[in-house]
Amino acid sequence: MFFEGAFMKSKFFIRIVCLVLAALMVGSVFLCAVQFFSASAAELTPTAEAKGYISDDYVNMRSGAGTGYSVVTCMRENTKVTFVDGKLYNSNWYKIKLDSNSNTGYVHRNYVKVTSVPSKPSNDSNSATGYINSDYVNLRSGAGTGYSVVTCMRKNTKFSFVSSTLYNSSWYNIKLSDGKTGYVLNTYVTKDSSKEPDPDPTTPDTPVSKVTGYVNDDYVNLRSGAGTNYSIVTCMRKDAKFTFIDTELHNSNWYNIKISDGKTGYIMSTYATKDSTPSGDDTPDDSDSSIKLSNTNETVYVGNTFALTASGDSSYRWTSSDTSVASVDSNGIVTAKSSGSVTITASSGSEKASCRFTVKSG
């Protein structure tokens, strides 16, 4: 009887221990799941004026979006920063401003974290709307496929635009009828024709002179984004005419253009030649010259380089009107040195052609 009682007590004790261990395991799994989903929910996509900090020690801020650019300063861990525009340059670099001294530059996305984004005033009565044009489309917590899925949307799901800005070149921030917000790839979005998204408040609504150009090579791809990894909108033949949507270079090498049939997209700058610039600007007039440059008016940032090319087989002499602002070598490579305006000229005998550069800091 004694041994039987001791055996029963031992079995009871073992059961209690097993139950406690099982409860601890379930609790651990639950805690991990809560932490994982909390981390996913906490992911923020930077916008203009979003706040953040440097997540590692001795991180370089560079003058351009790549490791080939000069170092502006070296930042310590937890350095406070402000995102200039929230866009990714060359797929991996954010443009930031230091809160301590307003220095601006570029930092790799792996070394910066977002703490808060500025809230936008609610204006639901005037919000633009649209619908999902494909089936089973993911709404994500951030502007990229690496972010968690908020929900899966069916075809013709209605939504309103939180902002008309494209984040990371390809993602819209939207709000569904049930109040959920997130990001959707722009190829799955169709805007309602009755109301276009309002222009982003950070973009001044000022008239821009129409700049036209043409494709200088045959079978050139027009792409949906500023890079060869984006889908092809159409293939353009040599001398196809187009209009520049803006004359800024995206991801250092791509122009945003509109062709004659209304299609828009991006073309690599080496395949785009600008027509003579509209009157009223300060671009040098070399229309009578036999020398033609690949560009006649450009904006570059201090520390960056830009390659000019000239038509013909002659050996040209390259000169700069102000070498303190920008210099040029014998191959037409322009190096921006300080803020200001400068004229770069290619000449051969009595013939010459010039490009006007505006050099900006940051």
Side-chain angles (χ1 to χ4, degrees):
M1 291 294 291
F2 172 77
F3 290 108
E4 183 179 347
F7 180 71
M8 292 299 291
K9 288 180 180 179
S10 176
K11 287 179 66 178
F12 178 74
F13 177 74
I14 291 171
R15 288 177 179 173
I16 294 296
V17 171
C18 289
L19 288 172
V20 171
L21 290 174
L24 288 173
M25 289 178 65
V26 171
S28 298
V29 171
F30 177 75
L31 181 59
C32 289
V34 168
Q35 290 175 338
F36 173 78
F37 286 112
S38 296
S40 296
E43 289 177 328
L44 292 173
T45 297
T47 60
E49 299 303 316
K51 298 294 183 181
Y53 65 93
I54 300 303
S55 60
D56 206 345
D57 215 1
Y58 298 105
V59 174
N60 288 328
M61 175 193 280
R62 295 187 176 271
S63 61
T67 55
Y69 291 92
S70 58
V71 176
V72 177
T73 188
C74 188
M75 301 172 289
R76 301 302 302 269
E77 188 172 7
N78 294 321
T79 298
K80 304 297 183 185
V81 301
T82 300
F83 290 83
V84 173
D85 53 22
K87 297 178 182 178
L88 273 177
Y89 294 83
N90 289 347
S91 303
N92 282 307
W93 297 78
Y94 284 117
K95 189 174 184 181
I96 60 169
K97 178 174 68 174
L98 297 184
D99 290 354
S100 58
N101 57 18
S102 297
N103 277 351
T104 59
Y106 297 81
V107 63
H108 196 280
R109 63 189 300 183
N110 290 346
Y111 302 120
V112 64
K113 301 293 183 185
V114 186
T115 54
S116 64
V117 295
S119 58
K120 293 190 177 182
S122 176
N123 192 16
D124 292 338
S125 61
N126 193 36
S127 61
T129 58
Y131 61 91
I132 301 301
N133 58 29
S134 190
D135 215 0
Y136 298 105
V137 174
N138 289 326
L139 180 70
R140 294 186 177 270
S141 60
T145 54
Y147 292 90
S148 58
V149 176
V150 176
T151 189
C152 189
M153 302 172 289
R154 300 302 303 271
K155 189 173 183 179
N156 295 323
T157 298
K158 299 289 187 181
F159 61 80
S160 58
F161 287 88
V162 175
S163 167
S164 63
T165 300
L166 273 178
Y167 296 88
N168 291 349
S169 303
S170 296
W171 297 77
Y172 280 119
N173 189 197
I174 65 171
K175 182 178 181 180
L176 302 181
S177 58
D178 61 4
K180 287 177 181 167
T181 60
Y183 295 80
V184 61
L185 195 60
N186 63 343
T187 52
Y188 300 122
V189 166
T190 299
K191 300 170 186 176
D192 288 333
S193 57
S194 57
K195 187 179 287 186
E196 291 292 319
D198 294 329
D200 191 281
T202 61
T203 304
D205 185 18
T206 55
V208 179
S209 299
K210 185 170 76 169
V211 181
T212 58
Y214 60 91
V215 179
N216 58 31
D217 205 345
D218 214 1
Y219 298 104
V220 173
N221 290 327
L222 180 70
R223 294 187 176 270
S224 61
T228 55
N229 57 317
Y230 289 92
S231 59
I232 297 172
V233 177
T234 189
C235 188
M236 301 173 290
R237 301 301 303 270
K238 188 173 182 179
D239 296 325
K241 300 291 187 181
F242 59 79
T243 303
F244 287 88
I245 292 176
D246 62 62
T247 55
E248 295 293 325
L249 278 174
H250 300 262
N251 285 350
S252 303
N253 282 308
W254 297 78
Y255 283 120
N256 190 197
I257 65 169
K258 181 179 181 180
I259 57 179
S260 57
D261 62 2
K263 289 183 176 130
T264 60
Y266 295 81
I267 181 177
M268 190 174 279
S269 58
T270 52
Y271 300 123
T273 299
K274 294 178 183 176
D275 291 329
S276 54
T277 354
S279 60
D281 63 13
D282 58 356
T283 302
D285 183 9
D286 302 307
S287 56
D288 295 333
S289 173
S290 62
I291 304 173
K292 300 298 179 184
L293 296 184
S294 55
N295 303 76
T296 57
N297 202 336
E298 282 299 331
T299 298
V300 293
Y301 289 88
V302 173
N304 290 357
T305 58
F306 188 92
L308 276 176
T309 57
S311 61
D313 299 323
S314 299
S315 295
Y316 297 108
R317 178 173 176 266
W318 294 90
T319 56
S320 168
S321 64
D322 190 344
T323 55
S324 67
V325 175
S327 61
V328 60
D329 67 12
S330 59
N331 297 313
I333 305 300
V334 179
T335 301
K337 294 182 175 180
S338 63
S339 300
S341 296
V342 63
T343 300
I344 303 297
T345 303
S347 58
S348 178
S350 60
E351 298 292 322
K352 66 177 182 178
S354 301
C355 177
R356 186 73 170 174
F357 279 85
T358 301
V359 179
K360 297 182 178 180
S361 61

